[in-house]
Amino acid sequence: MSKVTKEDALLYHSRGRHGKVEVIPTKPYSTQFDLSLAYTPGVAYPCLEIEKNPEDVYKYTAKGNLVAVISNGTAVLGLGDIGAMAGKPVMEGKGLLFKVFADVDVFDIEIDEKDPDKLIEICARIAPTFGGINLEDIKAPECFEVERRLKEMLDIPVFHDDQHGTAIISGAGLLNSLELTGKKIEEIKIVVCGAGAAAISCSRLYISMGVKKENIVMADSKGVINRKRTDLNKYKQEFITDRDLDTLTEAAVGADLFLGLSAANMMTKEMLASMAKDPVVFAMANPVPEISYEDAMSTRDDLIFATGRSDYPNQINNVLGFPFIFRGALDVRASTINEEMKLAASKALAALAKEPVPDVVLKAYNVESLKFGRDYIIPKPLDPRLISCVATCVARAAMETGVARYPITDWDAYKSNLDKRLGDHIKRIAEISGI
């Protein structure tokens, strides 16, 4: 993959129509009659129908396919608190991914407000516009409270992708890694490097998958989260260990999984060497992981290794999750995205990685073959099967847990409709791949 330069990135964002997204009308507008239907006087009729029956908003407006990508710019990618306006390119990019991968429309909304109470109020007041809310790049620990309270207040899906997206994708990787190594999830020991939103959410999801809480050791920049610490917020306190450990180096000894959600070069070759047989390392700091691929692979030959980067095997990329999770949730008008829906997404991704990989994917990544194994534990982001695989499982889980308000009755027709939604995307992949 070619190296991305500053000049390339700035040109990409600035050439032609500035930015990455636009709004396109979906109804005719070429005649006076069309405009009279679109606006006054015709628009009064759907307004009155919605007033009588609020559910008709899904029939007469774009609400059902519209997601708000909302950020206050306090934790943007690896850039930190750069402000709402500076974070806008990221939110536009999220909108592009939603549309390209799952045909979900997005308004990106950057809110210049750091007070969590005020941020929650703003989000709640604009919620009638949307079928779902994707919270993005809001710093911990405020992000936990913002999401929790909005989920309680609103009857549409609210999803903080920095937390749950990473958890869902890495959870799929964990399930498949354990299958390859023959280890039992209830017996593995995990060391978590980092204690922010993603680290805590990953740990919670792994516990719901079967990991024992007492087998998780979490470390932040000051060391292991243990009972000696007096500086822990309530979210970190959830993962206090009773083991007599103070440093990340100590915690890595005998661990089956190293989960890195922190900063570059936090893991040494010596730490990796001290881990258990057939270790799994998810080094997800971007752009430089906790340990480099080269250092990791030269240290252990029994290793399963994943990063957040696209230029190495096993990329743990949130784009494998959020577009399709929202697709499934929107299609059944789910009132929330619950734990069962997240687990369904993880299991769907894990299962897809075991299926034969179509030629269109091999061409897109310029490889001769991809087969389930240590270098292929999760699907590739350009796999066109993702939408029907993940969205279907998420929608089904919503129905089974009673949060769906528009149940699907014909699953074959639904899957066919999903594939049609992705038609243009598949064509673009084929063009890029020379198929």
Side-chain angles (χ1 to χ4, degrees):
M1 189 181 74
S2 300
K3 180 178 175 60
V4 174
T5 67
K6 176 181 178 180
E7 291 74 18
D8 289 335
L10 294 180
L11 178 61
Y12 174 87
H13 285 79
S14 63
R15 66 187 172 195
R17 184 187 288 265
H18 298 172
K20 297 190 286 283
V21 293
E22 64 177 324
V23 176
I24 300 174
T26 59
K27 297 294 187 290
Y29 52 87
S30 59
T31 69
Q32 182 178 351
F33 183 67
D34 291 338
L35 297 180
S36 295
L37 290 173
Y39 197 52
T40 187
V43 75
Y45 295 107
C47 289
L48 293 172
E49 292 299 306
I50 295 167
E51 183 186 29
K52 288 187 294 184
N53 178 23
E55 280 296 298
D56 277 351
V57 71
Y58 289 96
K59 181 177 181 180
Y60 296 118
T61 78
K63 177 183 172 79
N65 197 53
L66 186 60
V67 167
V69 173
I70 296 178
S71 178
N72 65 356
T74 53
V76 179
L77 292 176
L79 304 174
D81 186 356
I82 62 174
M85 193 180 303
K88 184 172 175 62
V90 178
M91 308 314 133
E92 286 189 357
K94 202 69 179 273
L96 182 151
L97 297 175
F98 263 113
K99 186 64 178 179
V100 167
F101 284 96
D103 193 27
V104 173
D105 297 316
V106 163
F107 290 162
D108 65 286
I109 300 175
E110 294 74 36
I111 301 174
D112 187 13
E113 181 56 73
K114 293 184 179 181
D115 184 306
D117 292 328
K118 293 179 180 178
L119 182 61
I120 290 165
E121 182 181 2
I122 293 168
C123 292
R125 290 192 179 276
I126 65 174
T129 305
F130 302 101
I133 293 176
N134 182 101
L135 299 172
E136 192 78 14
D137 294 350
I138 300 170
K139 72 181 180 72
E142 290 89 338
C143 61
F144 298 110
E145 190 71 6
V146 171
E147 185 193 49
R148 182 187 67 79
R149 286 172 55 188
L150 283 173
K151 290 182 75 167
E152 291 174 353
M153 296 166 69
L154 303 177
D155 64 350
I156 59 174
V158 178
F159 186 82
H160 184 216
D161 187 48
D162 299 318
Q163 294 182 56
H164 309 300
T166 304
I168 289 164
I169 313 310
S170 66
L174 174 60
L175 292 175
N176 279 343
S177 295
L178 294 179
E179 182 171 330
L180 289 166
T181 59
K183 296 182 180 182
K184 296 180 180 179
I185 196 166
E186 65 272 15
E187 296 177 355
I188 62 168
K189 294 181 179 180
I190 299 176
V191 54
V192 184
C193 179
I200 288 172
S201 187
C202 285
S203 300
R204 288 172 175 172
L205 187 69
Y206 296 175
I207 290 169
S208 69
M209 288 177 164
V211 170
K212 290 185 177 179
K213 190 174 182 180
E214 59 266 30
N215 287 343
I216 297 176
V217 176
M218 186 176 290
D220 61 12
S221 60
K222 297 180 181 178
V224 169
I225 294 173
N226 57 33
R227 298 203 177 277
K228 303 173 189 176
R229 300 277 297 273
T230 59
D231 59 339
L232 303 174
N233 61 45
K234 65 179 181 179
Y235 303 102
K236 292 183 181 181
Q237 288 174 12
E238 185 180 339
F239 291 97
I240 289 175
T241 183
D242 290 321
R243 294 171 63 188
D244 185 21
L245 300 168
D246 294 306
T247 68
L248 189 65
T249 299
E250 293 171 344
V253 176
D256 298 285
L257 169 64
F258 179 97
L259 177 64
L261 293 155
S262 54
N265 304 316
M266 291 296 294
M267 185 183 206
T268 64
K269 297 174 74 171
E270 289 73 23
M271 290 165 62
L272 175 54
S274 74
M275 291 179 68
K277 183 179 182 294
D278 293 314
V280 179
V281 174
F282 294 161
M284 292 184 282
N286 262 324
V288 182
E290 283 80 2
I291 184 171
S292 72
Y293 177 82
E294 293 77 14
D295 281 352
M297 300 311 292
S298 67
T299 301
R300 304 280 298 247
D301 58 10
D302 60 345
L303 171 67
I304 296 177
F305 188 75
T307 69
R309 295 175 57 131
S310 60
D311 50 350
Y312 296 116
N314 299 325
Q315 183 191 17
I316 296 176
N317 188 330
N318 284 18
V319 79
L320 288 166
F322 67 83
F324 317 114
I325 293 165
F326 269 96
R327 180 73 275 152
L330 292 172
D331 288 341
V332 294
R333 295 184 195 167
S335 58
T336 188
I337 294 173
N338 58 28
E339 200 71 10
E340 292 82 1
M341 294 161 73
K342 290 186 283 183
L343 284 170
S346 282
K347 291 176 181 178
L349 289 167
L352 183 59
K354 300 171 193 173
E355 297 293 325
V357 179
D359 287 342
V360 67
V361 178
L362 301 180
K363 293 279 188 178
Y365 288 92
N366 195 29
V367 294
E368 292 186 1
S369 67
L370 283 171
K371 185 178 180 181
F372 177 60
R374 290 175 182 257
D375 287 335
Y376 182 66
I377 58 172
I378 43 181
K380 295 290 189 180
L382 292 179
D383 193 324
R385 301 170 298 172
L386 283 164
I387 187 169
S388 59
C389 175
V390 179
T392 299
C393 291
V394 170
R396 194 185 296 275
M399 290 172 55
E400 291 173 349
T401 55
V403 300
R405 291 170 292 187
Y406 188 79
I408 293 168
T409 56
D410 187 335
W411 289 101
D412 289 336
Y414 177 59
K415 288 182 178 181
S416 177
N417 178 262
L418 290 173
D419 289 334
K420 288 178 182 176
R421 280 184 178 273
L422 204 61
D424 289 342
H425 175 51
I426 294 172
K427 290 177 184 176
R428 280 193 287 271
I429 295 175
E431 289 170 0
I432 292 169
S433 306
I435 298 175

